[in-house]
Amino acid sequence: MKNSEQLYKALSERILILDGAMGTMLQRYKFEEEDYRGERFKDWEHPVKGNNDLLSLTQPQAIEEVHKKYLEAGADIIETNTFSGTTIAMADYHMEELVYELNYESAKIARKACDEFTAKNPDKPRFVAGSIGPTNRTASLSPDVNDPGYRAITFDELRMAYKQQSEALLDGGSDILLVETIFDTLNAKAALFAIDEIQDERGIKIPIMVSGTITDASGRTLSGQTAEAFLISVSHLNLLSVGFNCALGANQLTPYLETLAHNSEFHVSAYPNAGLPNAFGKYDETPEDMASQIKEYVEKGLINIIGGCCGTTPDHIKAIADLVEKYKPRKLKEFV
């Protein structure tokens, strides 16, 4: 991978900034059904409003604009607009056949924005992380309370879907593949298996970020793993980073990041929500509030990559970027 050397060099020198929420920013455009459809899908026979990945084809200028706002705020790494870019998730909109194109075009939009900013300031190279979300099916849990043995998806179906998405993201210019918001580690293992297959087939080493989600105060993922168990489950591959995102605000995430930081030989990433949602599902935490909480991460030397998830905006990312530039990245542990 041509930018890998630059990426590892940057990580050794400073804490890298990941972008913030794409969905939060897209809400500001107030897109309606016809905006999602654009000209190309105006006669599509199923509703498509809410399919944010589709906007990479129908409203690419909005996606590029969001990327650029995060890059201006100081992001080193921006995520592609492909959180639901698998055949499994796209089945909700009957758009499975668009999956390769959606991922490829999303990666190209992000690549173009990153290249523009890198050209302006070659000392701060920008990187594209191909976003691979968890899908809306789980390999470990039954969706039917009356049939705990039932599974709505198989490991192999997940593997094939993730492989198609990953190949398109790489072909479109992604520097990193980010398996994120993992609530079921078995799903993540299918994604990692697929990515490892691509590494073998293409003879390349892909920088892989893995980010789980602790769903509540129990400190476990939805499929029941503690932070340490999650780390052990994904450490069979040589990862670029392991971390947590979503579900919790920065304060609530601290103990789980401590577990990773003290037990992992990989870089550690974090991108929490802007606090916990209020009664209306909105996020109230200001950029200053969030940055002041993240200060604990950097003072304790817990992180190498930091960004924001739900409710975060370029203002949040700028506040975080301004804070962490004064701190050194976490030192990598070496385990014999």
Side-chain angles (χ1 to χ4, degrees):
M1 303 278 290
K2 67 184 172 75
N3 290 334
S4 291
E5 206 173 298
Q6 280 186 310
L7 175 61
Y8 280 93
K9 182 173 183 291
L11 274 166
S12 70
E13 295 168 349
R14 57 198 168 85
I15 297 169
L16 295 192
I17 305 297
L18 189 67
D19 61 4
M22 175 61 80
T24 299
M25 294 300 288
L26 290 176
Q27 283 169 11
R28 296 180 174 186
Y29 289 86
K30 297 186 165 50
F31 287 139
E32 294 298 337
E33 180 73 29
E34 60 270 22
D35 302 305
Y36 276 86
R37 289 173 175 266
E39 187 58 31
R40 178 172 166 189
F41 300 101
K42 69 178 194 299
D43 298 324
W44 197 258
E45 53 199 45
H46 307 280
V48 296
K49 186 179 175 183
N51 184 357
N52 282 353
D53 295 31
L54 182 63
L55 296 172
S56 293
L57 302 183
T58 56
Q59 303 290 341
Q61 73 294 339
I63 304 301
E64 186 175 353
E65 204 167 69
V66 172
H67 286 327
K68 286 184 172 178
K69 283 181 175 157
Y70 282 122
L71 290 164
E72 278 160 11
D76 298 286
I77 303 169
I78 57 168
E79 294 185 51
T80 56
N81 178 42
T82 54
F83 188 79
S84 301
T86 55
T87 47
I88 297 159
M90 280 296 138
D92 287 355
Y93 303 96
H94 305 272
M95 288 184 155
E96 296 96 321
E97 75 272 17
L98 291 172
V99 161
Y100 184 91
E101 184 186 1
L102 281 172
N103 285 280
Y104 179 77
E105 292 300 330
S106 294
K108 274 179 69 175
I109 294 166
R111 175 83 272 151
K112 177 172 173 271
C114 277
D115 288 348
E116 276 179 33
F117 276 76
T118 301
K120 283 185 219 164
N121 183 3
D123 292 336
K124 186 177 164 71
R126 312 301 179 104
F127 305 99
V128 176
S131 168
I132 299 171
T135 82
N136 47 6
R137 304 283 177 91
T138 167
S140 293
L141 305 167
S142 173
D144 182 354
V145 290
N146 299 312
D147 186 0
Y150 173 69
R151 297 292 179 269
I153 191 95
T154 67
F155 184 90
D156 211 45
E157 286 167 335
L158 283 163
R159 177 190 65 82
M160 289 188 293
Y162 284 130
K163 189 171 184 183
Q164 180 190 24
Q165 181 178 26
S166 299
E167 287 180 324
L169 287 168
L170 292 169
D171 293 348
S174 297
D175 301 301
I176 301 162
L177 291 180
L178 168 56
V179 182
E180 64 171 327
T181 322
I182 298 159
F183 56 81
D184 181 349
T185 311
L186 194 55
N187 283 39
K189 286 175 92 70
L192 294 173
F193 190 96
I195 294 166
D196 203 28
E197 276 190 321
I198 297 167
Q199 291 190 125
D200 285 345
E201 288 165 10
R202 298 192 178 192
I204 56 173
K205 184 179 180 319
I206 301 164
I208 306 164
M209 293 176 67
V210 167
S211 186
T213 188
I214 299 288
T215 48
D216 57 32
S218 70
R220 293 172 181 267
T221 64
L222 191 63
S223 54
Q225 285 189 314
T226 62
E228 193 167 5
F230 170 72
L231 171 63
I232 292 164
S233 296
V234 297
S235 291
H236 57 290
L237 277 186
N238 184 18
L239 303 174
L240 175 72
S241 69
V242 64
F244 289 116
N245 73 291
C246 203
L248 301 176
N251 268 352
Q252 295 91 348
L253 208 53
T254 307
Y256 313 118
L257 290 175
E258 288 179 323
T259 298
L260 295 185
H262 298 151
N263 294 290
S264 174
E265 61 198 292
F266 309 125
H267 298 96
V268 170
S269 72
Y271 49 117
N273 291 347
L276 296 173
N278 63 25
F280 304 100
K282 302 287 184 195
Y283 294 86
D284 299 324
E285 209 162 79
T286 66
E288 296 69 33
D289 287 343
M290 195 171 176
S292 71
Q293 291 172 41
I294 282 167
K295 193 171 184 187
E296 186 179 5
Y297 299 176
V298 288
E299 285 178 341
K300 290 182 172 177
L302 301 181
I303 55 165
N304 305 92
I305 301 169
I306 183 74
C309 205
C310 304
T312 58
T313 66
D315 289 341
H316 289 82
I317 297 307
K318 183 170 187 334
I320 293 166
D322 290 346
L323 167 78
V324 305
E325 70 179 355
K326 310 181 202 52
Y327 292 87
K328 295 223 175 311
R330 166 182 163 272
K331 280 197 165 61
L332 292 198
K333 289 187 179 302
E334 287 187 20
F335 296 95
V336 178

